[in-house]
Amino acid sequence: MSEISMNTASGVEGATAQSQLRDVPAVRMEAVYKHYGDFTALDQVDLKVAKGEKIVVCGPSGSGKSTLIRCINHIEKHDEGLIYVNGVELDHQRKNIDAVRRDTGMVFQSFNLFPHMTVLENCILAPMTVNGMSEAEAKDLAMHFLTKVRIPDQAEKFPGQLSGGQQQRVAIARALCMRPKIMLFDEPTSALDPEMVKEVLETMKKLAEEGMTMLCVTHEMGFAREVADRIVFMNEGKVVEQAAPEEFFQHPKSERARTFLDQIIH
Amino acid sequence: MSHFSPTAAVNYFFNYFLMKGVLVTIGLTVAAVIGGLILGMGIALMRMSSNPVLSGFSRFYIWFFRGTPLLIQLVVIYSGLPQLGIKFSVITCALVGLILNEAAYLAEIVRSGFMAVSAGQREAAWALSLSPWVTFRRVTLPQAFRLMIPPLGNSINSLLKATSLASVISVEELMRRSDMLMQEHFQILEVYAAATAYYLILTSVWDAIQRRLEKHFGRSSAAKSRRIAATAPVAQTSVEARA
Ligand SMILES: Nc1ncnc2c1ncn2[C@@H]1O[C@H](COP(=O)(O)OP(=O)(O)O)[C@@H](O)[C@H]1O
Ligand SMILES: [Mg+2]
């Protein structure tokens, strides 16, 4: 159990070696481009995320938010530029991709739980097949994180039997079972009924409080204000603005960000 | 001759000669399903491959075998190929024809089953660092297979009946043996009543097996059957009547 009770956050141990590691950003993107045919989905994106930092990515639909976040764990291949995750370069080499994916967890808008497996089976599959854990160990670990997202009692159910909010919390627990150092969220509450948004955001806040490095694409501006260290605003594949939440909400620099905020805050 | 003799029909039903024909029909079906599935998976993999030669060949194969009658395929293999110096036994001809034909249908079923599994499932597996093999074996295949069962069942049902076409190239399966019995006493209705009963029994037994399979692989409740209902028509389109 000692491994389980260990904090998921990186950098909280406070050793000197750790502080040196801290200088390596969690994510570093330099002049990253991504094309779909003639269309440029990421247009010279530069982004640096420090360890423990919480970033909220926002912007109009089609601005490249999902593409950005999906390039970080190589679910989308970037075409040009450099991406480093915890110092590992994503250069399309298998071993580096694997290393990066082991360091990152991802939560999708549509949950993407495996519908033919129970909640518990969803959670133990990767720890057992990737990390070679025994079933008992993996189950302990899974129950630990299911308890953390407050649905240990649903472990034996199938995803289809749960509400959207519960499914998304399972998806978060499933990702945490791989003990990622960085969590990527792509509009985790957009597919939820309004009354379930809160429970998922609460779970994410808790994770943030524990020091997890987080990149969240979300339009939940309340969450952004409360949790984000920095807002990254995207438009047409470009990072247009980066600022602390207060700054961004009160004094958006670009016209595009102003109109976006007007629409979203109404 | 304007009467129908139920006793004669029952006698035909229990006729050993006819029963052996039933066994041949079952054998042909089972062999064609197994051979067709193996070949069909290969064809489906080629069809999904990014290599244009492989996918082009697979596309052509499916187009060809689904676009021509099984009857012509069997006759060409049986009587046409010897003209080119290629000669198989009768039963081999029937098996080759049925397998080649069935593979084309099963390839489409296998492919549409895999295509119906959402990309998000694979992405979630990648994000969890699952290996390609584990992703296939534990995530994609079980979901695809569940979606394949209904169209697979339909295809096997129609294959069961399509084996009767092998009678034309003189394979002594149920249909051919019924013909032979019919030639003896010209009790046309009685003989075919017995043959019809056998076909109905075979298709009904298969139906029951199919329902069991569906139940077994749909073990996770209502949410699942809704998904099957929603996605099955996609896969279903690939099953058409043959012959
Ligand atoms: N697989 C794809 N093929 C072609 N175009 C794509 C693909 N994925 C995304 N795009 C396009 O790239 C742009 C950015 O997409 P995305 O990153 O999903 O935007 P956002 O998440 O900000 O709404 C969109 O215009 C979208 O149509
Ligand atoms: Mg998006």
Side-chain angles (χ1 to χ4, degrees):
Chain A
M1 281 305 276
S2 69
E3 205 190 336
I4 290 167
S5 51
M6 191 181 86
N7 202 303
T8 46
S10 60
V12 287
E13 284 85 346
T16 16
Q18 206 70 24
S19 72
Q20 275 166 355
L21 266 178
R22 267 195 160 192
D23 300 338
V24 178
V27 177
R28 182 151 68 91
M29 300 176 98
E30 282 175 15
V32 170
Y33 287 86
K34 169 76 193 174
H35 308 282
Y36 292 112
D38 291 341
F39 184 80
T40 305
L42 290 185
D43 192 351
Q44 205 184 358
V45 168
D46 291 297
L47 182 69
K48 215 173 193 177
V49 180
K51 287 193 171 147
E53 203 177 7
K54 291 106 190 74
I55 304 283
V56 161
V57 183
C58 64
S61 175
S63 58
K65 307 180 297 293
S66 298
T67 308
L68 172 86
I69 212 161
R70 288 154 63 88
C71 279
I72 294 172
N73 63 353
H74 208 267
I75 280 181
E76 259 3 297
K77 283 194 200 66
H78 60 289
D79 297 313
E80 290 169 57
L82 299 172
I83 302 180
Y84 293 90
V85 179
N86 285 330
V88 176
E89 187 186 350
L90 265 182
D91 52 3
H92 310 319
Q93 276 190 63
R94 192 75 247 163
K95 71 173 188 350
N96 290 347
I97 295 170
D98 285 343
V100 166
R101 285 184 182 163
R102 263 195 281 276
D103 271 0
T104 50
M106 184 169 235
V107 175
F108 302 84
Q109 180 177 347
S110 49
F111 325 138
N112 294 344
L113 293 173
F114 306 134
H116 56 300
M117 296 179 194
T118 64
V119 163
L120 195 61
E121 286 166 350
N122 264 277
C123 292
I124 64 176
L125 179 64
M128 286 179 68
T129 61
V130 180
N131 295 343
M133 266 190 193
S134 71
E135 188 171 336
E137 261 182 308
K139 279 185 174 165
D140 276 354
L141 179 75
M143 289 314 294
H144 169 79
F145 285 112
L146 286 171
T147 307
K148 193 160 172 164
V149 300
R150 290 180 294 112
I151 32 176
D153 46 328
Q154 310 288 345
E156 297 304 329
K157 290 204 179 149
F158 285 94
Q161 297 169 301
L162 305 183
S163 73
Q166 290 173 321
Q167 290 190 53
Q168 195 60 298
R169 284 184 284 143
V170 171
I172 294 172
R174 178 176 72 173
L176 292 177
C177 283
M178 288 302 281
R179 307 189 154 285
K181 299 194 179 78
I182 304 167
M183 282 291 286
L184 309 170
F185 295 84
D186 192 357
E187 303 204 32
T189 58
S190 299
L192 298 178
D193 293 333
E195 72 270 22
M196 293 166 187
V197 169
K198 197 166 161 247
E199 65 192 53
V200 171
L201 292 180
E202 287 301 324
T203 308
M204 291 166 65
K205 274 179 207 165
K206 208 156 97 185
L207 209 55
E209 281 160 16
E210 289 170 6
M212 177 67 80
T213 309
M214 291 165 65
L215 274 104
C216 314
V217 176
T218 180
H219 291 157
E220 294 295 334
M221 289 304 142
F223 174 83
R225 248 179 240 277
E226 199 176 328
V227 173
D229 297 314
R230 186 163 30 124
I231 310 266
V232 170
F233 175 74
M234 291 188 71
N235 190 40
E236 293 178 348
K238 292 190 178 72
V239 172
V240 179
E241 268 188 67
Q242 302 192 46
E246 285 318 304
E247 167 102 10
F248 178 73
F249 289 120
Q250 274 156 29
H251 313 287
K253 288 199 260 325
S254 64
E255 184 54 41
R256 194 67 194 81
R258 270 193 291 276
T259 42
F260 173 76
L261 284 173
D262 281 346
Q263 280 162 356
I264 195 161
I265 295 173
H266 35 255
Chain B
M1 276 287 286
S2 67
H3 84 294
F4 172 81
S5 160
T7 333
V10 170
N11 283 339
Y12 281 125
F13 188 83
F14 291 108
N15 182 312
Y16 268 136
F17 183 71
L18 200 66
M19 282 183 181
K20 280 185 195 152
V22 174
L23 291 182
V24 174
T25 291
I26 295 173
L28 282 177
T29 307
V30 171
V33 169
I34 294 171
L37 262 181
I38 294 169
L39 183 58
M41 284 209 197
I43 302 282
L45 281 178
M46 287 164 76
R47 181 82 167 75
M48 292 184 277
S49 134
S50 52
N51 181 325
V53 178
L54 291 182
S55 72
F57 171 81
S58 156
R59 213 184 291 249
F60 172 83
Y61 180 97
I62 293 167
W63 170 76
F64 183 84
F65 281 97
R66 295 205 331 171
T68 53
L70 174 57
L71 188 52
I72 292 192
Q73 293 162 18
L74 287 171
V75 170
V76 166
I77 293 168
Y78 179 63
S79 341
L81 290 187
Q83 202 178 317
L84 303 174
I86 306 166
K87 205 160 169 8
F88 303 122
S89 72
V90 182
I91 201 83
T92 311
C93 283
L95 278 179
V96 168
L98 287 169
I99 288 174
L100 289 178
N101 186 272
E102 186 65 7
Y105 287 86
L106 296 187
E108 282 297 85
I109 291 171
V110 169
R111 187 176 74 100
S112 48
F114 278 101
M115 304 253 297
V117 178
S118 76
Q121 291 289 304
R122 243 155 293 168
E123 289 169 4
W126 295 340
L128 287 167
S129 328
L130 298 184
S131 69
W133 169 246
V134 172
T135 302
F136 173 77
R137 179 63 198 80
R138 304 289 299 277
V139 178
T140 344
L141 182 64
Q143 296 185 61
F145 187 66
R146 213 178 55 215
L147 296 169
M148 284 179 222
I149 295 173
L152 205 61
N154 290 345
S155 185
I156 291 172
N157 172 298
S158 91
L159 173 68
L160 198 57
K161 294 171 291 184
T163 55
S164 62
L165 290 171
S167 64
V168 173
I169 60 168
S170 77
V171 176
E172 290 191 19
E173 41 65 73
L174 178 54
M175 181 67 193
R176 176 78 176 181
R177 292 211 157 183
S178 307
D179 280 345
M180 292 161 85
L181 286 177
M182 190 269 288
Q183 303 283 350
E184 270 177 48
H185 306 291
F186 289 99
Q187 291 182 302
I188 305 172
L189 283 179
E190 288 81 354
V191 174
Y192 288 131
T196 303
Y198 273 119
Y199 278 118
L200 283 172
I201 290 170
L202 292 179
T203 50
S204 304
V205 167
W206 172 246
D207 271 356
I209 295 175
Q210 185 186 339
R211 267 197 303 277
R212 286 210 138 180
L213 284 175
E214 277 172 35
K215 217 169 138 188
H216 177 76
F217 286 96
R219 67 180 173 118
S220 73
S221 82
K224 231 177 203 180
S225 45
R226 274 203 306 277
R227 282 169 43 89
I228 290 173
T231 30
V234 183
Q236 211 88 24
T237 54
S238 60
V239 185
E240 295 139 27
R242 180 179 348 211

